Amino acid sequence: METRLLEYFLTVAETGNITKAATKLHLTQPTLSRQIMELEQQLGTKLFIRGKRQLALTTAGLVFEKRARELLGFWDQTKNEIQQTNTILVETLKIGCVETSISPLAMQACLAFHQNYPAVNFNITDADGNDIKERLDQNDLELGFLIAPIEVAKYNYLTLKQTETWGVVVRKTHRLATKATITGADLENETLLLPKRGIVRSELQAWLKSIPTSANILGTSNLLGNVTTLARQSDICLLCVKGAFEMFDTSELVFIPFTPLRHSKHILAWRKNVELSLAAQEFIEFVKNNKL
């Protein structure tokens, strides 16, 4: 049953006259009469006693009048609650973020969003791309700031403006430290620490036209916090993005970009076929509208 039929019925009940009710509802009298007859057919009972000039409610009509007012009141209350929910969000938004040049921008976005929606608080996880994706898959996080590429079959995402430059971090006394750029051939016989993400390592191999077989692969790392200590204390080469390197003490280290220059885009990602919270949906729109 449509809510407009309830409104038509209550207007007729209040005026006691089809013509007056039709005028008030901006309908023709025949149209309103048909609507009331349709309502009576749906209910299987007469709602009005029809006199020459006046309509009176039947016993069934009196019962229905009470319920109609309750139903419309419930409908109005529901609409108001939904509209308020759109402007007053009270939720915890779980976001993961890689430690790169996107980090300060992502945190600024969280702060600005909180100023618009002060009842929303954030649960922020710092991690590498693999860990963030794993938590997205397990619904431990709703959104993740990542470095491309990702598996597009599993995630929806926004591509962000902030990009990253790939290169090598070495200590300032390293033989490569004075070079302006780095090629794959420059890494011969060097000890390398590679990014943990397999999809990124594959891209590095392609960019460098394969990492030399003479290179000693020490292993992989997800974040640079601890391994920058290795670079300060030895001749190890860290393959990473410039933004991650700049988040730590760089006084004893130097970043050297690859040649030709290699850039990666940042993205804001979320799982496909997963219902996001209203706060997450609003945050995605916020990031999109502010062109992060």
Side-chain angles (χ1 to χ4, degrees):
M1 182 183 298
E2 299 179 39
T3 56
R4 64 182 178 84
L5 289 179
L6 300 180
E7 294 169 353
Y8 293 170
F9 164 78
L10 290 174
T11 303
V12 174
E14 289 167 1
T15 60
N17 184 281
I18 285 287
T19 302
K20 290 180 181 179
T23 301
K24 191 173 182 179
L25 293 166
H26 305 290
L27 299 172
T28 64
Q29 185 271 332
T31 298
L32 181 56
S33 294
R34 284 197 301 272
Q35 296 295 326
I36 295 300
M37 290 176 63
E38 178 183 329
L39 180 59
E40 290 178 326
Q41 289 172 1
Q42 289 184 24
L43 295 171
T45 187
K46 292 291 184 182
L47 298 174
F48 293 99
I49 301 170
R50 290 163 172 80
K52 289 184 178 180
R53 295 186 177 180
Q54 199 74 11
L55 297 177
L57 288 169
T58 63
T59 302
L62 290 169
V63 173
F64 187 70
E65 180 186 26
K66 178 183 178 181
R67 297 305 183 197
R69 294 190 188 281
E70 291 174 351
L71 287 169
L72 285 178
F74 178 75
W75 175 244
D76 289 339
Q77 179 184 355
T78 302
K79 287 193 296 183
N80 289 335
E81 288 177 354
I82 290 174
Q83 290 168 358
Q84 289 174 6
T85 302
N86 283 332
T87 55
I88 306 175
L89 300 178
V90 184
E91 292 178 316
T92 296
L93 182 51
K94 296 180 289 185
I95 293 181
C97 187
V98 292
E99 292 183 340
T100 67
S101 62
I102 200 61
S103 299
L105 298 177
M107 296 307 101
Q108 290 170 19
C110 291
L111 178 59
F113 186 81
H114 179 72
Q115 290 171 345
N116 288 349
Y117 300 98
V120 173
N121 58 74
F122 289 86
N123 184 331
I124 298 170
T125 297
D126 296 331
D128 77 325
N130 278 357
D131 291 337
I132 290 174
K133 290 191 300 174
E134 183 176 337
R135 295 190 182 202
L136 288 172
D137 294 345
Q138 295 173 351
N139 295 322
D140 288 336
L141 297 174
E142 284 197 278
L143 304 173
F145 287 96
L146 299 165
I147 290 182
I150 62 168
E151 296 82 354
V152 294
K154 292 175 62 176
Y155 304 97
N156 293 312
Y157 60 92
L158 289 179
T159 300
L160 309 177
K161 291 192 301 182
Q162 187 74 10
T163 60
E164 279 290 6
T165 301
W166 283 89
V168 175
V169 170
V170 295
R171 62 180 177 177
K172 290 182 177 179
T173 57
H174 195 284
R175 73 172 187 89
L176 298 176
T178 58
K179 294 184 69 66
T181 57
I182 291 287
T183 66
D186 292 325
L187 298 177
E188 289 185 10
N189 300 312
E190 296 294 339
T191 300
L192 310 181
L193 193 68
L194 304 177
K196 181 180 178 181
R197 292 180 63 197
I199 193 170
V200 172
R201 293 200 303 274
S202 296
E203 282 210 341
L204 286 172
Q205 290 274 8
W207 291 344
L208 299 173
K209 297 181 180 177
S210 78
I211 294 173
T213 55
S214 61
N216 172 31
I217 307 300
L218 177 63
T220 64
S221 68
N222 61 341
L223 301 174
L224 287 187
N226 289 320
V227 295
T228 52
T229 303
L230 284 176
R232 292 188 192 96
Q233 297 175 351
S234 68
D235 281 336
I236 191 173
C237 298
L238 309 178
L239 277 63
C240 64
V241 292
K242 186 177 182 181
F245 160 70
E246 291 177 337
M247 295 187 68
F248 302 96
D249 177 13
T250 62
S251 58
E252 300 175 50
L253 304 172
V254 61
F255 176 87
I256 311 165
F258 293 134
T259 185
L261 287 174
R262 297 297 181 181
H263 301 291
S264 288
K265 295 180 179 179
H266 285 98
I267 56 177
L268 177 61
W270 60 98
R271 277 295 305 272
K272 289 183 177 179
N273 304 317
V274 171
E275 185 175 355
L276 295 176
S277 67
L278 186 58
Q281 295 174 45
E282 289 293 328
F283 188 80
I284 291 168
E285 289 301 312
F286 181 84
V287 170
K288 186 187 302 183
N289 293 335
N290 285 274
K291 299 178 181 179
L292 190 65

